Amino acid sequence: MSAAAISPAVPKPAHVPDALVYDFDMFRDPAYVADPHKRVLDLVKNAPPIFWTPRNGGHWMLLSHAANFNAARDTEAFTSEFIPKAELAAMKARMPPGMPHIPIPIPINLDPPDHTKYRAPLQRVFSPKAILAIRDSIVALATELVDAVKERGHCEFMKEIAEPMPVQVFLKMLGLPLDRQDEYREIVAAHLSDPSPDARAMIPKLQRIAASMNDTFLARRDNPQDDIISLLWKIEVDGKQSTIEDMQNYGVLLFIAGLDTVMNGIGHGVRHLAQNPDLQAQLRANPKLVPEATEELLRRYTFTVPPRLVARDMTFEGVEMKARERAMLFLPAADLDSKEYPQSESFDLNRENKVHIAFNAGPHRCLGSHLARVELQVIYEVLMARLPTFRLDPDKPPTFHCGHVVGVDSLNLLWDV
């Protein structure tokens, strides 16, 4: 591991045994950045199922499927409220009048029962029925993007297809202008690439995200449209109508999740397809297999790493943890746990157990999972239908980024025309 590339190590807390220390930087580990899921498999095989790393301020990494599943469901032991309510209230009380609101991404940074109250109004927007209603428009957009590069015989897939497809779908759903998508993507990328262990350091970035949407928030308040922002103005929580602060709280979460996550899943899946022409042929011959392939690709290349705080001193899965320590739900490792998935490193279209936790588990299970599944299935179907067999460009290997979302930066494809 290159010392110049990774964050400095911090001292090990006294309660952490040497046997549970493993040196891994989830943002800058060279092998991880070079080929993320190859490095995840290495960790699954060689690191403890739960370990403490001295990088990025020091924190726990939960690798096993059992540890991730149990931690995700136990919000009393692993909290998503990174700044305690009392501390946040004190911060706001000290702020001079007229200072920008401190946005808190909701409902993802809330625990039940508050989480449940704020999540409920969004359930209808992301229900299977609601997503099915926009499927045809997603197919049309994917077809347009693929046809634009078809005769060329090559493309940089992430920039030309994987990014614009889900980003444009979500901007339209949310009600944000499509002509600002490059600006929005830059803001999201800057936010997600920050390894700071201090939640307070995120505040200026969250305020920047909220500010980028403020004009649209106010426009939809005065002139509602058929979009999510207009809907959020109409909802009530505890009998109270939405305020601009509520809109910013909801907005920062939807903005970050909607403008980044799915494109990375698409990138990992299409990279695998490009490396496996036999799988492409199988899906072309039988498109009805695409949903099954989608689930196995999600399991094999899970790509989100949700953070949690240890809520109290406790022993979890035999490991002593202290209150306010950070713990990462390392879902990519959970879905490669051989105790849960025999021969976990293999893509197996006939795998008996494809019930992955790529979308997390428990109350914080991904609200947009139905949308993500449809987008993934659509792009695979359209690629199989519109392009001949495609492959990776040997002169331009894929590049990746890591952190709380493990993503593909560039993916150059070739095909014969």
Side-chain angles (χ1 to χ4, degrees):
M1 187 180 293
S2 168
I6 62 176
S7 69
V10 299
K12 174 183 74 69
H15 67 282
V16 177
D18 291 343
L20 294 185
V21 177
Y22 198 91
D23 196 352
F24 175 68
D25 187 327
M26 62 177 275
F27 285 85
R28 304 187 185 94
D29 180 281
Y32 192 37
V33 175
D35 193 339
H37 290 89
K38 181 179 179 181
R39 177 64 164 136
V40 174
L41 280 168
D42 177 66
L43 290 170
V44 169
K45 292 175 182 176
N46 296 304
I50 298 174
F51 68 81
W52 185 89
T53 174
R55 304 298 170 181
N56 297 302
H59 58 83
W60 294 102
M61 297 288 296
L62 278 55
L63 270 63
S64 73
H65 188 278
N68 278 278
F69 186 77
N70 293 333
R73 291 164 60 88
D74 191 348
T75 57
E76 293 184 1
F78 294 91
T79 178
S80 295
E81 296 181 355
F82 297 99
I83 303 178
K85 288 187 180 74
E87 183 179 332
L88 184 61
M91 289 171 61
K92 291 181 177 179
R94 293 193 299 267
M95 291 170 59
M99 289 292 288
H101 169 63
I102 299 175
I104 300 298
I106 62 171
I108 201 169
N109 284 162
L110 296 175
D111 294 330
D114 290 340
H115 171 271
T116 308
K117 291 188 297 187
Y118 283 94
R119 179 178 169 119
L122 293 172
Q123 297 278 38
R124 179 171 62 84
V125 179
F126 293 100
S127 69
K129 181 179 179 181
I131 300 306
L132 183 61
I134 65 170
R135 192 183 196 279
D136 287 348
S137 66
I138 297 174
V139 171
L141 175 58
T143 300
E144 177 187 337
L145 292 169
V146 171
D147 283 356
V149 302
K150 181 177 180 178
E151 299 305 320
R152 195 197 305 160
H154 65 90
C155 73
E156 198 290 280
F157 182 78
M158 296 309 296
K159 196 69 177 175
E160 295 186 88
I161 298 172
E163 180 177 335
M165 192 194 88
V167 167
Q168 288 184 30
V169 168
F170 203 80
L171 287 176
K172 185 176 180 180
M173 288 180 67
L174 199 55
L176 293 171
L178 293 180
D179 59 7
R180 293 178 65 185
Q181 65 176 320
D182 290 343
E183 172 197 350
Y184 293 145
R185 280 287 305 138
E186 185 274 323
I187 293 173
V188 170
H191 176 81
L192 290 173
S193 65
D194 191 336
S196 173
D198 185 358
R200 297 155 197 81
M202 292 290 104
I203 290 174
K205 291 183 172 61
L206 292 171
Q207 288 175 324
R208 183 188 177 199
I209 292 172
S212 74
M213 293 185 284
N214 243 21
D215 53 350
T216 306
F217 289 151
L218 297 175
R220 293 299 185 273
R221 180 192 63 188
D222 300 331
N223 183 24
Q225 306 289 322
D226 183 20
D227 55 43
I228 294 175
I229 290 176
S230 299
L231 170 73
L232 292 176
W233 274 116
K234 300 173 185 176
I235 67 173
E236 293 185 0
V237 175
D238 290 337
K240 298 178 181 177
Q241 199 74 33
S242 293
T243 64
I244 187 64
E245 289 79 13
D246 293 325
M247 298 298 295
Q248 291 179 351
N249 291 342
Y250 270 124
V252 291
L253 167 65
L254 293 169
F255 189 92
I256 295 166
L259 301 187
D260 183 81
T261 314
V262 178
M263 62 177 286
N264 296 297
I266 292 172
H268 291 302
V270 171
R271 178 195 179 213
H272 182 91
L273 287 166
Q275 293 173 309
N276 292 273
D278 290 347
L279 176 59
Q280 290 187 51
Q282 191 175 5
L283 297 181
R284 286 190 173 90
N286 188 358
K288 291 182 179 179
L289 292 175
V290 166
E292 289 291 307
T294 299
E295 296 309 303
E296 179 67 346
L297 288 169
L298 280 166
R299 181 204 66 81
R300 180 60 182 82
Y301 300 101
T302 297
F303 53 92
T304 59
V305 186
R308 295 290 185 269
L309 280 184
V310 178
R312 60 175 185 269
D313 291 0
M314 63 177 180
T315 300
F316 174 74
E317 304 276 319
V319 175
E320 184 181 358
M321 297 181 177
K322 297 294 185 181
R324 307 303 293 171
E325 291 181 333
R326 291 178 303 133
M328 304 300 163
L329 304 185
F330 200 31
L331 302 182
D335 275 338
L336 290 174
D337 186 343
S338 60
K339 291 182 179 178
E340 188 72 15
Y341 308 100
Q343 295 183 310
S344 65
E345 71 278 6
S346 299
F347 174 92
D348 183 358
L349 198 53
N350 300 312
R351 183 178 297 277
E352 185 174 339
N353 175 22
K354 292 193 187 74
V355 184
H356 55 76
I357 55 172
F359 295 123
N360 209 348
H364 285 285
R365 189 180 183 281
C366 177
L367 184 66
S369 62
H370 301 304
L371 174 61
R373 278 193 165 100
V374 166
E375 290 179 322
L376 288 162
Q377 291 173 15
V378 164
I379 194 60
Y380 300 151
E381 289 171 1
V382 170
L383 286 170
M384 296 305 103
R386 312 293 292 186
L387 285 188
T389 303
F390 51 88
R391 59 194 182 275
L392 298 180
D393 185 338
D395 297 326
K396 299 175 182 176
T399 59
F400 306 91
H401 63 268
C402 299
H404 292 294
V405 178
V406 182
V408 184
D409 281 333
S410 65
L411 184 65
N412 288 277
L413 303 180
L414 301 174
W415 56 91
D416 297 330
V417 292

